[in-house]
């Protein structure tokens, strides 16, 4: 059973998501919160598999709440997915840096929403949609903060896998591109995350852009 926590200051949004989730046999909504501070307390109390957290909220915003979650070793099993009204929200990259596994736009269709919750629960980052790639292109469109040093411990194959992941490719797609098995592709990504101490795939991808391993597209 996938345990989900809803954190959003709009009751109608929470109610709509809850109705969708409650209809699924493998998903359970364990609690709801109207701000980040309350949400953080409920995360510690319920230890959900997935926390769906709005970016902009009163008292404590979603980015701060996510940063607290990511910094607490006791909450390592909680996968944070940010909710935003706008696909190009300026805070999304901050949320990924803070430790979010990805983000969803609130007008997402129900089927994609449910799929995203299951993807997040598996520990995979929600980085494949084109809107995420466009966002990363927009907000990392400056000279890299580092010059690759953050990835110096990676092998050549691991760097190749990370670069492809940063372009939004899944493990299966990385395997096809590198002519390796999907399990080997997953191993490369997992080892890379371990070496650079990335909480998840999302942070690994952000580091790939910030280090200059991958250059944002100019479009």
């Amino acid at each position: 059973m996938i345990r989900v926590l809803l954190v959003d200051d709009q009751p109608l949004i929470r109610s709509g998501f809850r109705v969708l989730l409650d209809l699924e046999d493998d998903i359970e909504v364990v609690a709801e919160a109207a701000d980040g501070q309350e949400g953080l307390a409920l995360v510690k109390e319920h230890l959900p598999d997935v926390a769906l957290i709005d970016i902009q909220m009163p008292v404590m915003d979603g980015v701060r709440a996510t940063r607290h979650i990511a910094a607490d070793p006791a909450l390592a099993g909680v996968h944070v997915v940010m909710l935003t009204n706008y696909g190009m929200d300026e805070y999304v990259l901050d949320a990924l840096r803070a430790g979010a596994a990805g983000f969803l736009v609130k007008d997402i269709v129900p089927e994609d929403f449910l799929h995203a919750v299951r993807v997040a629960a598996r520990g995979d980052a929600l980085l494949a949609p084109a809107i995420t790639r466009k966002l990363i292109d927009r907000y990392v469109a400056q000279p890299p903060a580092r010059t690759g040093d953050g990835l110096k411990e990676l092998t050549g194959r691991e760097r190749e896998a990370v670069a492809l992941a940063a372009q939004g490719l899944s493990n299966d797609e990385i395997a096809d591109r590198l002519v390796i098995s999907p399990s080997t592709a997953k191993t490369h990504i997992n080892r890379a995350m371990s070496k650079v101490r990335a909480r998840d795939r999302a942070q690994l991808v952000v580091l790939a852009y910030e280090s200059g391993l991958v250059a944002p597209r100019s479009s």
Side-chain angles (χ1 to χ4, degrees):
M1 182 69 70
I2 299 172
R3 294 162 47 81
V4 177
L5 172 68
L6 298 173
V7 185
D8 196 297
D9 62 332
Q10 300 179 58
L12 186 60
I13 294 293
R14 295 200 310 272
S15 297
F17 283 156
R18 180 160 201 147
V19 168
L20 289 173
L21 295 170
D22 282 345
L23 289 173
E24 301 301 303
D25 294 335
D26 61 332
I27 300 175
E28 173 190 11
V29 177
V30 296
E32 297 181 22
D35 61 67
Q37 183 171 299
E38 181 185 9
L40 181 59
L42 290 175
V43 164
K44 294 178 180 179
E45 177 182 350
H46 294 279
L47 298 178
D49 301 300
V50 178
L52 298 172
I53 302 180
D54 188 21
I55 286 186
Q56 300 184 52
M57 292 181 294
V59 185
M60 178 187 291
D61 63 37
V63 176
R64 286 180 59 202
T66 298
R67 192 172 290 117
H68 283 296
I69 292 170
D72 189 340
L75 305 179
V78 179
H79 306 291
V80 175
V81 177
M82 306 305 301
L83 302 173
T84 176
N85 286 311
Y86 308 103
M88 298 300 285
D89 193 304
E90 63 182 293
Y91 299 107
V92 170
L93 188 63
D94 288 339
L96 293 175
R97 288 193 181 107
F103 78 100
L104 297 175
V105 180
K106 291 182 182 180
D107 63 359
I108 188 173
V109 298
E111 293 80 6
D112 290 344
F113 170 69
L114 294 171
H115 174 70
V117 169
R118 293 185 174 101
V119 168
R122 294 199 303 264
D124 294 333
L126 302 174
L127 293 169
I131 193 169
T132 305
R133 295 195 295 269
K134 290 178 182 178
L135 181 139
I136 292 176
D137 286 349
R138 175 173 174 177
Y139 290 106
V140 194
Q142 67 265 344
R146 293 180 286 276
T147 58
D149 289 347
L151 304 177
K152 63 183 179 182
E153 296 183 11
L154 304 188
T155 66
R157 208 55 161 169
E158 288 166 354
R159 292 171 67 88
E160 289 177 324
V162 170
L164 293 173
Q167 296 173 31
L169 274 65
S170 67
N171 286 341
D172 287 346
E173 292 168 333
I174 292 172
D176 288 341
R177 188 73 64 87
L178 297 181
V179 195
I180 57 179
S181 70
S183 62
T184 300
K186 182 177 181 179
T187 296
H188 287 324
I189 295 297
N190 288 343
R191 286 178 177 170
M193 287 193 296
S194 177
K195 287 180 179 180
V196 302
R197 297 179 177 84
R199 174 183 169 92
D200 55 29
R201 193 184 185 103
Q203 286 197 323
L204 183 67
V205 167
V206 169
L207 178 59
Y209 278 94
E210 291 185 328
S211 67
L213 177 63
V214 178
R217 293 182 295 274
S218 59
S219 57

